[in-house]
Amino acid sequence: MTNKINKNDQIKTDIIVKARELFKRFGLNKTTMEDIAQTMSKGKSTLYYYFSGKEEVLYAVAQKEIADTFGSILAEVEKQKSAQERLRAFFLKRFDVLEEKLNTYPAMVREQKKNIEIIHKIHLEFSLLERNLIKEILLYGIKSGEFAHINKKDCDSLAIAASTILSGIDIYTFVEGTVPPIGDQLNILFNITMRGVK
Amino acid sequence: MTNKINKNDQIKTDIIVKARELFKRFGLNKTTMEDIAQTMSKGKSTLYYYFSGKEEVLYAVAQKEIADTFGSILAEVEKQKSAQERLRAFFLKRFDVLEEKLNTYPAMVREQKKNIEIIHKIHLEFSLLERNLIKEILLYGIKSGEFAHINKKDCDSLAIAASTILSGIDIYTFVEGTVPPIGDQLNILFNITMRGVK
DNA sequence: AGTAGACTAAAACACAAATCGAGTCGAATG
DNA sequence: CATTCGACTCGATTTGTGTTTTAGTCTACT
């Protein structure tokens, strides 16, 4: 009994591993159930004994990816003592992991593109204006003594960070087709950040 | 001389206005140079006397859109006295404007979509885990006295805000095909935010 | 200077034919 | 009974094709 369940699971995870590899190499569209079956020297129908369909295979692969990724972040976080260092570790690791995934699944990333160039070009231009405005407001606040004194370079960095976050929200909005409903939350984040700037 | 320049500019801006309207209604692809010319009761060739091509028309329209949008934000900002209120006004207005644009150009937004659904679904799941981790770290910091006491609701809000920002950066990265090179800037922003949390 | 009609070349479209690939089924194997 | 597979279906995707649309040019008219 336990033997059977084990064997079943073994094959399942084998499928997941193989599928994952193929997805990495060829992307979602170019990987067929036939391909997956062949790399395991099995018939295509056999896959359907273990998974209800391609989507479920993909889902299983994604689940594993999520678990692995989240695990590696968690590990990094738990190395740290203080909450501050934990948070910092989280963000840094999270950033690394994002880049790593981007490089791991180039085919899948490529599948998702079209002609964003124009909008991007336009958006970039707007971002530059915006970034300067943010910087000016910051400098204004520093000059008036309302904000703590920050050196010019950090001021620049802050503006860049802020504008990038906004760009992220822009593109998020663009892709989703709706503005993320987090007005209040951002407000609270803003208040706390302000406490730090003052 | 000045008269001629004025007339030239007048027609140019007329073209821009008309093109803008058509882009709003029908999107980029479904708006032809012929269409634009017809709504002005002019020959198509005439457009090429004023603009080198469709792309330049689009660019001009975008320029105007940028100028208008930025102007409306700037106006809102300059109503405020303190730098803090200016910053806040900036973010809020910026948010409004984003949503407004989304509603103004639905056809153009629609043109830019494909099958993001799967990745989105997967991403959402990851976001939930991530959000909880952030919240837990925050609560950990509050319990230990390292962070200032924030009520649970605000803590939630902070976590949502942070995860949403990260989602934004995710999608940004996804669309751009590269992680935004602002590690240092984010670090500085992080430090300042921390000062506020403590 | 400003306009437009006729033109071209290339891209978009339409639609039929062929191909591919996800998913089913019943039979085979052990 | 658990597991595998070959043969099949059917809808989606791709391909080949001819046609239409459309960005952009050229020339000539005012």
Side-chain angles (χ1 to χ4, degrees):
Chain A
M1 175 72 177
T2 42
N3 234 345
K4 278 175 184 174
I5 288 174
N6 275 347
K7 193 190 169 191
N8 190 297
D9 281 1
Q10 181 50 51
I11 293 177
K12 263 189 153 174
T13 60
D14 198 29
I15 293 173
I16 291 169
V17 168
K18 295 278 168 50
R20 190 188 199 179
E21 222 128 88
L22 290 174
F23 287 155
K24 279 180 188 174
R25 280 245 282 283
F26 305 113
L28 241 68
N29 300 333
K30 287 264 183 287
T31 301
T32 69
M33 292 296 267
E34 190 72 52
D35 291 339
I36 298 170
Q38 260 169 15
T39 66
M40 321 185 29
S41 313
K42 290 261 161 88
K44 181 180 62 155
S45 317
T46 305
L47 295 182
Y48 289 89
Y49 183 76
Y50 296 98
F51 292 95
S52 75
K54 194 182 184 181
E55 214 172 297
E56 206 180 289
V57 174
L58 167 61
Y59 192 70
V61 170
Q63 288 283 10
K64 179 158 169 46
E65 192 69 33
I66 286 173
D68 290 358
T69 304
F70 192 74
S72 79
I73 292 176
L74 196 62
E76 201 65 32
V77 163
E78 289 182 339
K79 277 187 197 160
Q80 310 302 320
K81 266 278 178 47
S82 72
Q84 173 166 348
E85 285 312 311
R86 280 184 174 211
L87 249 190
R88 185 196 307 277
F90 169 75
F91 283 110
L92 293 180
K93 183 63 180 174
R94 164 69 227 241
F95 220 78
D96 284 355
V97 149
L98 179 60
E99 188 161 27
E100 184 194 320
K101 289 298 162 263
L102 194 70
N103 294 327
T104 311
Y105 295 94
M108 286 177 69
V109 171
R110 231 173 298 124
E111 274 172 346
Q112 283 308 126
K113 286 211 228 163
K114 207 79 201 191
N115 52 337
I116 319 279
E117 294 86 22
I118 317 155
I119 281 88
H120 175 238
K121 197 181 153 199
I122 291 167
H123 185 257
L124 190 68
E125 209 166 332
F126 186 77
S127 287
L128 286 176
L129 287 174
E130 180 171 77
R131 187 180 300 175
N132 280 330
L133 177 55
I134 295 173
K135 198 171 61 177
E136 264 167 29
I137 296 174
L138 286 176
L139 290 172
Y140 174 86
I142 292 166
K143 211 182 210 166
S144 76
E146 189 188 356
F147 289 168
H149 185 75
I150 311 172
N151 68 56
K152 257 201 169 133
K153 196 137 178 293
D154 281 1
C155 209
D156 245 326
S157 296
L158 259 183
I160 292 171
S163 86
T164 302
I165 288 169
L166 289 172
S167 290
I169 293 178
D170 284 352
I171 295 174
Y172 181 103
T173 302
F174 194 71
V175 171
E176 290 295 309
T178 160
V179 178
I182 54 159
D184 285 351
Q185 285 86 338
L186 280 184
N187 222 18
I188 289 163
L189 177 61
F190 173 81
N191 286 335
I192 287 172
T193 308
M194 283 312 296
R195 243 192 275 160
V197 175
K198 283 189 153 176
Chain B
M1 178 67 177
T2 42
N3 235 343
K4 279 175 184 176
I5 288 175
N6 274 348
K7 192 189 170 191
N8 189 296
D9 283 359
Q10 181 50 52
I11 293 177
K12 263 189 153 176
T13 59
D14 197 28
I15 293 172
I16 291 168
V17 168
K18 293 281 167 51
R20 190 189 200 182
E21 222 129 272
L22 289 173
F23 288 155
K24 280 181 189 174
R25 282 244 283 280
F26 306 112
L28 239 68
N29 300 332
K30 287 264 182 289
T31 301
T32 71
M33 291 296 268
E34 191 72 51
D35 291 339
I36 299 170
Q38 258 169 18
T39 65
M40 319 184 35
S41 312
K42 289 263 160 89
K44 183 180 62 157
S45 319
T46 305
L47 294 182
Y48 288 89
Y49 183 77
Y50 296 98
F51 293 94
S52 75
K54 194 181 183 182
E55 209 163 307
E56 206 180 289
V57 174
L58 167 61
Y59 192 70
V61 169
Q63 288 283 10
K64 179 156 169 48
E65 192 69 34
I66 288 173
D68 290 358
T69 305
F70 192 74
S72 79
I73 293 176
L74 195 60
E76 203 63 33
V77 163
E78 289 181 340
K79 277 187 197 162
Q80 310 303 321
K81 264 280 177 48
S82 72
Q84 172 166 348
E85 284 312 312
R86 279 185 174 210
L87 249 189
R88 185 196 306 278
F90 169 75
F91 283 110
L92 293 181
K93 182 63 178 173
R94 164 69 227 242
F95 219 78
D96 283 356
V97 149
L98 179 61
E99 187 161 27
E100 182 193 321
K101 290 299 163 260
L102 193 71
N103 294 327
T104 310
Y105 294 95
M108 287 177 70
V109 171
R110 231 172 299 125
E111 274 172 346
Q112 283 308 124
K113 287 213 228 163
K114 206 82 200 186
N115 52 337
I116 319 279
E117 294 85 21
I118 315 156
I119 281 88
H120 175 239
K121 194 179 154 199
I122 291 166
H123 185 259
L124 189 68
E125 208 166 335
F126 187 78
S127 286
L128 285 177
L129 287 173
E130 180 172 77
R131 187 179 299 174
N132 280 330
L133 178 55
I134 295 173
K135 198 171 62 176
E136 262 166 33
I137 296 174
L138 286 176
L139 290 172
Y140 175 85
I142 291 167
K143 211 181 209 167
S144 76
E146 191 187 355
F147 290 168
H149 185 74
I150 311 171
N151 69 54
K152 256 201 170 134
K153 195 134 180 295
D154 281 1
C155 209
D156 244 326
S157 295
L158 258 183
I160 292 171
S163 86
T164 301
I165 287 168
L166 290 171
S167 289
I169 293 177
D170 284 352
I171 295 174
Y172 182 102
T173 302
F174 194 70
V175 171
E176 290 296 308
T178 162
V179 178
I182 55 160
D184 285 352
Q185 286 86 339
L186 281 184
N187 223 16
I188 290 164
L189 177 61
F190 174 82
N191 287 334
I192 287 172
T193 308
M194 283 312 295
R195 240 191 276 160
V197 174
K198 283 186 158 177

